[in-house]
Amino acid sequence: VVLSFCRCTPSASRLGLRLPSSSSPSSLCLPSFSQSPSLVSTLSTHTRFMSSEASSPPAKRIKMSREVISTPLAPAAIGPYSQAIKANGFLFVSGCIPLIPETMEMLEGDAAAQARRCLENMGAILKAGGSDFDQVVKTTVLLADMADFASVNAVYSEYFPSNPPARACFAVKTLPKNSLVEIEAVALAQ
């Protein structure tokens, strides 16, 4: 059986098809077509996708933007990174640790106190980037000890009281400057 197919040999080989040596590049041999209903279904779906793709108008070019965000109201970066990057309507906030912006010293205290300082630092960066806590869509919380999860969560919930963002939380071996907490975020931005 010979089936007319698009000229996408990688897709053809993923489907278990072989290009016959004596035929045109737009035809493929299906050696066991009748014995493989799932192959027939896959081919049908694939060819419909390829047909609709071929008839689509060309993609429009989108102007990409990238802006470094920096504010003196949050600690300066302590390495080769920015406090945040604003790109195409999103604000990517680097991990915030509990540094006091004016002195660049670590805040002493338990994980809850350090989480509050991290979130205060984050708030200043969000504001500088044209965003706020209500616009945060994803955070990552890093803890030096998972035993601090409940106390950090209590503080975290004050900053995200309703409709909180998606989040991941991990316990890690060590954080910068031996912090107990680090929090990063992705937010929508004007």
Side-chain angles (χ1 to χ4, degrees):
V1 174
V2 175
L3 172 70
S4 180
F5 199 72
C6 65
R7 293 182 60 165
C8 53
T9 310
S11 294
S13 49
R14 276 196 307 272
L15 294 172
L17 307 175
R18 64 180 174 81
L19 189 61
S21 57
S22 62
S23 66
S24 70
S26 62
S27 298
L28 296 174
C29 284
L30 301 173
S32 59
F33 191 85
S34 61
Q35 297 173 353
S36 180
S38 63
L39 179 60
V40 173
S41 174
T42 303
L43 279 173
S44 176
T45 302
H46 183 74
T47 54
R48 275 197 310 273
F49 171 75
M50 295 306 294
S51 297
S52 65
E53 187 179 75
S55 62
S56 300
K60 293 180 182 176
R61 288 199 167 239
I62 299 172
K63 183 168 176 8
M64 306 298 250
S65 64
R66 181 184 186 276
E67 176 186 353
V68 173
I69 303 299
S70 181
T71 177
L73 300 176
I78 58 173
Y81 62 91
S82 301
Q83 289 175 330
I85 296 291
K86 189 181 206 177
N88 302 319
F90 288 96
L91 184 65
F92 299 88
V93 181
S94 294
C96 296
I97 60 174
L99 289 171
I100 300 166
E102 299 80 17
T103 63
M104 292 297 289
E105 297 294 321
M106 285 292 290
L107 177 77
E108 296 298 323
D110 62 7
Q114 288 195 3
R116 187 173 309 283
R117 181 73 258 168
C118 291
L119 289 162
E120 289 299 316
N121 293 341
M122 181 179 290
I125 297 167
L126 288 167
K127 184 174 181 182
S131 192
D132 58 35
F133 286 106
D134 289 338
Q135 298 301 308
V136 174
V137 295
K138 171 75 168 73
T139 63
T140 303
V141 178
L142 304 172
L143 302 174
D145 186 345
M146 195 54 85
D148 293 326
F149 181 80
S151 63
V152 169
N153 226 22
V155 172
Y156 182 94
S157 66
E158 294 173 23
Y159 291 83
F160 301 104
S162 62
N163 301 315
R167 179 180 83 176
C169 182
F170 303 98
V172 297
K173 183 177 178 189
T174 308
L175 289 166
K177 297 199 173 260
N178 291 315
S179 170
L180 301 176
V181 183
E182 180 175 358
I183 306 173
E184 67 176 20
V186 177
L188 301 174
Q190 299 294 332

